[in-house]
Amino acid sequence: MWTRRDILRWGVVGAVGAGIGPWSRAVCQQAQASGFTLPKLPYAYDALEPIIDAETMMIHHTRHHQAYIDNLNKALAEAAPEWLTRDITDIVRHYSQLPEKIRTTVRNNGGGHLNHSWFWLMMAKPRSTAPKGELLKALESSFGSLDGFKKEFLAAALGRFGSGWAWLVVGKEKPLAITSTPNQDNPITDGQTVLLGCDVWEHAYYLKYRNARGKYVEAWFDVINWDDVAERFAKASKQ
Ligand code: MN3
């Protein structure tokens, strides 16, 4: 879920969010009757250069992410308008309760909206953060080392045939685990807790890396926002 810091960082507590209760309700910058809106990036389009080029970021944000939002709003407005004011994480957890005729559309586009909203926060300027403390310990006990984590995460990213995401989640036997999903599915639909996700759709890397997904993911490790991961991990550890 969104933290107070995310909200402040994104500047989304505007006229709609102010003064109506708990912080989760501030996300109702999105929960308006007209539907969800594109969140601002917490950095400039060129902030992740040279790992991710500004053009890729701009197209990814203003075209791809916007398209998921538009399609989500359209489907909900047509068949389940009362869902337009629900939190996006709540929607992604409860696809099964949607009218069947829009279920797949909402799964693809609502998932797309949530995944990208998180993805932008999960990245930061190259090598500006590093795992430390409890998170580093958890990475080491789960994967042997930070390199062990990277190796396993890369394998999940490369092993995902077609389009999808690689994820770091809270583990069942070990503190952390790696998984992947197809399309715009998100592990929270299956009750898992997400700490980090990497978009491995070609639109995320094709301009710069062409078809070389492995080279993209290896470079992407340098733009992981480990502070965001640590925040999610600390929150999950308290639950
Ligand atoms: Mn994408």
Side-chain angles (χ1 to χ4, degrees):
M1 259 311 297
W2 304 60
T3 64
R4 182 188 166 110
R5 206 181 93 211
D6 293 336
I7 292 162
L8 292 174
R9 195 163 35 169
W10 283 25
V12 296
V13 186
V16 177
I20 48 166
W23 283 101
S24 63
R25 289 300 292 166
V27 178
C28 69
Q29 54 105 14
Q30 312 200 329
Q32 301 171 47
S34 55
F36 297 87
T37 54
L38 186 68
K40 284 184 187 152
L41 292 191
Y43 39 69
Y45 286 125
D46 64 358
L48 309 182
E49 295 260 17
I51 310 288
I52 304 182
D53 58 285
E55 188 181 11
T56 295
M57 286 299 293
M58 191 181 68
I59 295 171
H60 203 170
H61 180 241
T62 62
R63 307 284 176 82
H64 292 278
H65 191 171
Q66 184 68 59
Y68 295 123
I69 290 168
D70 293 345
N71 292 332
L72 171 66
N73 287 340
K74 185 164 175 277
L76 292 178
E78 279 171 14
E82 69 280 12
W83 285 62
L84 283 168
T85 52
R86 284 174 79 159
D87 190 280
I88 188 61
T89 54
D90 185 37
I91 292 175
V92 171
R93 287 193 174 101
H94 298 105
Y95 294 135
S96 60
Q97 296 171 10
L98 281 159
E100 198 175 345
K101 67 174 180 176
I102 58 164
R103 203 173 293 159
T104 301
T105 302
V106 172
R107 186 174 190 124
N108 290 335
N109 293 284
H113 176 40
L114 177 62
N115 293 351
H116 288 84
S117 296
W118 280 357
F119 187 54
W120 313 131
L121 297 175
M122 288 166 170
M123 298 187 289
K125 279 181 184 291
R127 291 171 294 282
S128 60
T129 65
K132 48 191 185 251
E134 291 303 311
L135 175 61
L136 183 59
K137 270 190 230 163
L139 285 162
E140 288 171 347
S141 75
S142 305
F143 310 111
S145 63
L146 187 56
D147 279 346
F149 153 75
K150 289 179 179 176
K151 201 172 157 191
E152 203 171 312
F153 195 90
L154 178 64
L158 290 173
R160 171 52 54 191
F161 182 78
S163 297
W165 292 73
W167 304 98
L168 177 68
V169 296
V170 172
K172 293 195 176 81
E173 280 125 42
K174 293 181 175 178
L176 307 173
I178 285 166
T179 186
S180 77
T181 56
N183 307 314
Q184 294 295 352
D185 286 355
N186 184 305
I188 68 168
T189 304
D190 298 323
Q192 299 187 74
T193 301
V194 168
L195 304 176
L196 175 69
C198 180
D199 187 345
V200 298
W201 285 57
E202 280 189 345
H203 68 227
Y205 60 87
Y206 200 84
L207 290 183
K208 185 176 171 86
Y209 297 91
R210 299 302 173 192
N211 59 329
R213 184 187 290 182
K215 285 206 171 100
Y216 154 68
V217 176
E218 280 177 28
W220 182 83
F221 289 132
D222 277 348
V223 294
I224 292 173
N225 182 354
W226 286 107
D227 292 346
D228 187 74
V229 181
E231 204 172 284
R232 288 166 181 274
F233 184 59
K235 195 174 170 190
S237 305
K238 279 184 211 140
Q239 281 167 355

